[in-house]
Amino acid sequence: MTAARPADGRDDAVVRRCPYGGAADASPTAYAEYAEMDALLALQHPRTAAATEPGFIIMSQVMELLFKLLHIEFTTARDRLADDDVDAALWALRRAARVQQVALSSWDFFSAMTPTEFAEFREVLGTASGFQSASYRRLEFLLGNKNPRMVLPHREASSHEAVSRQLHEPSLYDAVLVLLHRRGLPVADAVLARPRDAPYEPDDSVERAWREVYENSAAHHPLFLLGEALTDAADSFARWRYTHLTVVQRVLGGKPGTGGTDGVSWLERISGHRFFPELWSVRSLL
């Protein structure tokens, strides 16, 4: 006896559903094909029946995509500064500022999750943690917060090479300091010659350079605009970190982080860090 066939004449074995509700072997729309939407929408695999786990996965993936986009924009800004094209760098920083706003607002979803809702699926995370995000670590390194120890969580991961390479590349702030020196401002040679993989230490000569820019903003107008754009970026990043802290306090309380960190205490320490430190300290001198 012949099995019943679908109305369109195809075998059941080939009628598989795709995320858009059509058959998987049907051609995607031009939009879906260009942005690879079928692949993107097939990447969510909750491991529990918890109602909030799909959202947790999706918003975690959104955050990773935003990190990637920020990395692209900040890298563009760095490279344009290396080319002495401040205007193009400012335009890239303008785009990055919009992305940072989206990243900050992304925490709103996580803060709407109650402790009991998170507890319904937290166990299946195991040791998984945002602390292990290679995209985030590369972004920290790109902006200048270098720390060789932070490569260690990736030593067994496919991301190790990319994270290690980022550690040794010039940061965005490195490109800024070279630009200040090239424009005749008093950035010490020792600052420019320091190892690229070493943590950045604030320097009096850099503070003096920024003071000259701010006190003579008309004469150094492009650099003044750059200083404010960088301060905006650092400010947004500080807000992002602080919001991360408050979300964890709200959802997790004082429990240890899933990645082995001490949770809130670790976030409190890192939330005090500021990128481009002399742009903050110089404000006390103006």
Side-chain angles (χ1 to χ4, degrees), residues 148-164:
R149 294 195 306 273
M150 301 311 295
V151 178
L152 295 178
H154 307 278
R155 60 186 179 275
E156 302 296 334
S158 59
S159 57
H160 179 265
E161 182 180 351
V163 173
S164 181

Side-chain angles (χ1 to χ4, degrees), residues 3-21:
R5 297 171 63 83
D8 60 5
R10 289 175 294 165
D11 291 334
D12 287 317
V14 299
V15 182
R16 301 181 304 276
R17 310 302 292 176
C18 76
Y20 291 100

Side-chain angles (χ1 to χ4, degrees), residues 247-255 263-264:
V247 168
V248 170
Q249 288 174 322
R250 179 169 179 167
V251 177
L252 198 59
K255 297 175 184 176
V264 167

Side-chain angles (χ1 to χ4, degrees), residues 108-124:
D108 290 345
F109 170 83
F110 296 101
S111 67
M113 192 181 307
T114 68
T116 51
E117 287 174 330
F118 183 51
E120 288 178 342
F121 64 88
R122 188 189 185 213
E123 184 177 346
V124 302

Side-chain angles (χ1 to χ4, degrees), residues 66-233:
L66 294 174
F67 292 158
K68 182 175 183 178
L69 182 52
L70 284 171
H71 188 277
I72 291 170
E73 298 295 3
F74 286 130
T75 298
T76 298
R78 181 198 65 184
D79 294 348
R80 296 295 75 76
L81 291 175
D83 295 337
D84 211 45
D85 190 345
V86 178
D87 287 344
L90 287 170
W91 204 247
L93 291 172
R94 178 180 180 270
R95 294 193 299 267
R98 304 306 195 274
V99 181
Q100 286 186 281
Q101 291 173 2
V102 178
L104 180 59
S105 66
S106 296
W107 286 121
D108 290 345
F109 170 83
F110 296 101
S111 67
M113 192 181 307
T114 68
T116 51
E117 287 174 330
F118 183 51
E120 288 178 342
F121 64 88
R122 188 189 185 213
E123 184 177 346
V124 302
L125 296 178
T127 59
S129 168
F131 181 77
Q132 300 160 346
S133 168
S135 297
Y136 175 80
R137 187 56 50 201
R138 292 182 67 205
L139 190 55
E140 286 260 3
F141 288 171
L142 174 59
L143 292 177
N145 188 20
K146 301 289 187 75
N147 186 341
R149 294 195 306 273
M150 301 311 295
V151 178
L152 295 178
H154 307 278
R155 60 186 179 275
E156 302 296 334
S158 59
S159 57
H160 179 265
E161 182 180 351
V163 173
S164 181
R165 185 169 60 248
Q166 191 75 60
L167 177 69
H168 293 88
E169 285 185 8
S171 71
L172 170 60
Y173 203 39
D174 288 331
V176 171
L177 299 180
V178 171
L179 175 70
L180 294 178
H181 185 268
R182 195 163 57 234
R183 297 291 176 93
L185 292 160
V187 176
D189 291 339
V191 174
L192 303 179
R194 75 188 195 288
R196 289 288 177 254
D197 61 345
Y200 181 77
E201 297 291 340
D203 188 89
D204 290 343
S205 71
V206 177
E207 187 178 78
R208 289 195 299 273
W210 282 121
R211 183 174 185 175
E212 184 172 332
V213 168
Y214 274 80
E215 290 183 340
N216 301 279
S217 59
H220 300 292
H221 191 60
L223 298 180
F224 170 75
L225 294 178
L226 177 61
E228 285 299 282
L230 293 171
T231 305
D232 285 342

